[in-house]
């Protein structure tokens, strides 16, 4: 695909973002594209709403895998693009439209001219929620085509196009989602003394949760507690009987995540006592940290620089990625691909520069052919 064709595929995919394990239109689009490629070396398996595509090598001694995540986010798009999401309230706000397009662009090149080794393309559902990597890894389809090495990329709005960034060891944090339900006693707004107001309890919980990192975590360590969504109550002149907080926690160390959970639960006990309410906590999906195998770093840096792009040593980030589960089992690495957007990931105005698509395909193809 030339850059225009890559742009078209990205725009087609951008229009149809779907949430985790609902990626049926996306899967159909990917399948249709793959059916249009030379079929001599290709085998395809469906796995739930994802796909595994194997390109047979010419004289294989191993299988090299490349993973692209395919789900969108429940975010309202505000880009003003003429090719904006046609799915109301859903958007590719984390660049998975880019990740898929780069995988398809690379797959096309491999299908036309295979390399020595087998190559496995994983189109993985549900990266954002509830996590597709772990069940995909455990699937029979994956076990039958188990790779020896694996890598993946993520778009990086803060880096210019033509820049690739990564590091040895820890790249992304451990994560745990956080869902907290409050149950009190509702009633008339004019009679608060007869009620147990859960808007107030959830608000105080939110404020107090912000002191967990500053007062319980070693200042030389790092962690995040974010409440991203608050809901509660039903009417403006009523006292809320229930409320719900939704958030996420991040840590570089596994022990620190245990500490965050202990503090989250302790805080709940205090709020239950002071507000005479019941609180239940659900940790939802938890993702394992992304830890890069250092042996890939020097060769990868050479690949990037030989292509004329800029390699940057990155810092670890508090983002999470269920690709961490794949790297726990299979040697490999992840890297950031510069896409230069004024708005960041998970922002309704994210506008990655499409020139980065070709950079991505060049880097991924060369890496596959060199591993
Ligand atoms: C790269 C990226 O943005 N990944 C997501 C992963 C979400 C994990 C989980 N659903 C959570 O919210 O904890 C991120 O938010 O970092």
């Amino acid at each position: 695909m030339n850059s225009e064709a890559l742009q078209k595929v990205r725009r087609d995919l951008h229009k149809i973002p779907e949430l985790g394990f609902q990626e049926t239109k996306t899967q159909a689009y990917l399948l249709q594209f793959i059916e249009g490629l030379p079929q001599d070396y290709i085998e395809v398996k469906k796995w739930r709403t994802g796909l595994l595509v194997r390109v047979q090598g010419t004289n294989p001694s191993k299988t090299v895998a490349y993973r692209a995540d395919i789900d969108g986010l429940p975010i309202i798009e505000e880009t003003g693009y003429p090719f904006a999401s046609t799915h109301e309230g859903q958007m590719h706000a984390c660049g998975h439209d880019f990740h898929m397009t780069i995988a398809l662009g690379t797959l096309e090149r491999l299908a036309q001219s295979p390399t020595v080794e087998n190559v496995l393309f994983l189109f993985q559902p549900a990266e954002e929620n509830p996590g597709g990597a772990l069940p995909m890894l455990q699937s029979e389809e994956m076990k039958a085509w188990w790779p020896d090495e694996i890598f993946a990329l993520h778009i990086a709005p803060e880096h210019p196009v033509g820049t690739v960034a990564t590091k040895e060891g820890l790249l992304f944090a451990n994560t745990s989602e956080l869902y907290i339900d409050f149950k009190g006693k509702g009633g008339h707004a004019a009679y608060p003394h007869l009620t147990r107001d859960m808007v107030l309890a959830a608000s105080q919980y939110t404020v107090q949760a912000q002191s967990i990192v500053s007062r319980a975590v070693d200042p030389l360590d790092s962690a995040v507690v974010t409440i991203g969504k608050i809901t509660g109550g039903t009417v403006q002149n009523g006292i809320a009987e229930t409320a719900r907080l939704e958030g996420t926690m991040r840590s570089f160390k596994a022990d620190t995540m245990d500490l965050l959970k202990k503090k989250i639960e302790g805080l709940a006990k205090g709020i239950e006592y002071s507000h005479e309410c019941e609180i239940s906590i659900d940790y939802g999906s938890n993702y394992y940290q992304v830890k890069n195998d250092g042996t890939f770093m020097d060769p990868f840096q050479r690949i990037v620089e030989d292509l004329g792009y800029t390699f940057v040593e990155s810092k670890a980030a508090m983002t999470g990625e269920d690709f961490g589960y794949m790297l726990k089992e299979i040697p490999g690495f992840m890297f950031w691909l510069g896409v230069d957007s004024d708005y960041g990931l998970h922002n309704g105005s994210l506008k990655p520069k499409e020139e980065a698509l070709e950079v991505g395909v060049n880097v991924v193809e060369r890496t596959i052919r060199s591993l």
Side-chain angles (χ1 to χ4, degrees):
M1 274 191 277
N2 61 20
S3 52
E4 258 171 44
L6 287 169
Q7 188 184 74
K8 181 183 178 321
V9 169
R10 182 265 163 155
R11 293 180 179 196
D12 289 346
L13 288 165
H14 189 82
K15 285 184 198 161
I16 54 163
E18 295 165 295
L19 302 185
F21 290 126
Q22 297 170 26
E23 304 96 332
T24 49
K25 286 190 202 170
T26 306
Q27 187 190 50
Y29 184 94
L30 296 170
L31 275 172
Q32 196 185 20
F33 181 93
I34 293 162
E35 277 159 21
L37 297 176
Q39 296 295 303
D40 316 70
Y41 307 99
I42 289 184
E43 295 166 272
V44 181
K45 285 184 192 171
K46 279 190 191 178
W47 176 78
R48 298 183 66 170
T49 47
L51 293 177
L52 293 88
V53 186
R54 188 163 73 161
V55 186
Q56 191 67 41
T58 51
N59 188 17
S61 61
K62 64 178 180 181
T63 297
V64 178
Y66 175 72
R67 173 275 206 168
D69 40 13
I70 69 170
D71 54 320
L73 279 157
I75 287 180
I76 298 168
E77 177 154 0
E78 292 174 288
T79 57
Y81 280 150
F83 55 90
S85 169
T86 54
H87 295 173
E88 209 183 319
Q90 296 176 18
M91 179 186 170
H92 273 303
C94 202
H96 300 188
D97 50 345
F98 268 59
H99 302 172
M100 286 184 275
T101 306
I102 290 166
L104 290 177
T106 312
L107 173 59
E108 183 186 67
R109 291 188 189 178
L110 268 294
Q112 288 162 349
S113 165
T115 183
V116 182
E117 308 297 355
N118 292 329
V119 183
L120 179 64
F121 288 86
L122 300 174
F123 292 92
Q124 180 219 299
E127 185 274 327
E128 298 290 350
N129 188 286
L134 192 55
M136 188 175 222
L137 206 58
Q138 292 163 342
S139 70
E140 291 309 313
E141 291 81 353
M142 184 82 184
K143 282 180 192 153
W145 285 349
W146 194 257
D148 300 279
E149 289 157 354
I150 192 161
F151 70 106
L153 67 77
H154 203 292
I155 63 158
E158 69 278 21
H159 286 300
V161 174
T163 300
V164 165
T166 192
K167 71 182 278 292
E168 179 176 346
L170 188 77
L171 188 71
F172 286 7
N174 295 283
T175 72
S176 170
E177 294 174 0
L178 186 56
Y179 302 97
I180 311 179
D181 283 295
F182 295 74
K183 172 95 171 70
K185 189 175 172 203
H188 198 291
Y191 301 89
H193 56 297
L194 302 179
T195 69
R196 300 286 171 260
D197 182 356
M198 291 305 101
V199 161
L200 188 60
S203 304
Q204 291 202 342
Y205 191 101
T206 305
V207 172
Q208 288 183 35
Q210 293 314 306
S211 55
I212 293 177
V213 172
S214 76
R215 286 299 167 267
V217 176
D218 181 338
L220 299 181
D221 189 7
S222 296
V224 169
V225 175
T226 290
I227 304 295
K229 186 174 173 187
I230 304 183
T231 44
T234 53
V235 63
Q236 133 280 340
N237 57 352
I239 301 270
E241 173 142 338
T242 60
R244 180 172 166 85
L245 301 178
E246 297 177 38
T248 182
M249 301 188 288
R250 310 294 164 96
S251 72
F252 286 150
K253 294 184 187 153
D255 288 358
T256 308
M257 184 58 80
D258 294 340
L259 174 68
L260 296 180
K261 289 183 176 173
K262 197 172 135 212
K263 291 291 170 189
I264 282 288
E265 287 157 28
L267 192 53
K269 288 199 180 96
I271 296 278
E272 275 182 330
Y273 183 73
S274 54
H275 288 262
E276 297 177 43
C277 65
E278 283 169 29
I279 299 179
S280 60
I281 298 171
D282 175 2
Y283 292 117
S285 306
N286 290 218
Y287 293 175
Y288 188 72
Q289 64 191 22
V290 172
K291 200 168 172 195
N292 283 340
D293 183 330
T295 56
F296 292 93
M297 292 297 104
D298 285 345
F300 181 61
Q301 178 169 355
R302 273 197 298 279
I303 288 166
V304 170
E305 290 174 346
D306 284 353
L307 284 165
Y309 302 131
T310 306
F311 180 91
V312 173
E313 176 89 14
S314 66
K315 291 190 206 150
M318 280 292 172
T319 35
E321 249 286 355
D322 63 352
F323 185 60
Y325 286 118
M326 295 197 175
L327 288 183
K328 197 171 171 216
E329 305 296 328
I330 305 161
F333 66 100
M334 183 161 208
F335 66 92
W336 292 106
L337 177 75
V339 294
D340 186 18
S341 166
D342 290 341
Y343 295 90
L345 301 175
H346 297 199
N347 186 300
S349 298
L350 173 77
K351 282 186 176 184
K353 295 222 166 32
E354 288 172 327
E355 295 84 333
L357 293 167
E358 204 166 349
V359 178
V361 175
N362 289 339
V363 172
V364 172
E365 183 198 12
R366 184 70 71 90
T367 305
I368 287 172
R369 291 189 191 279
S370 310
L371 283 180

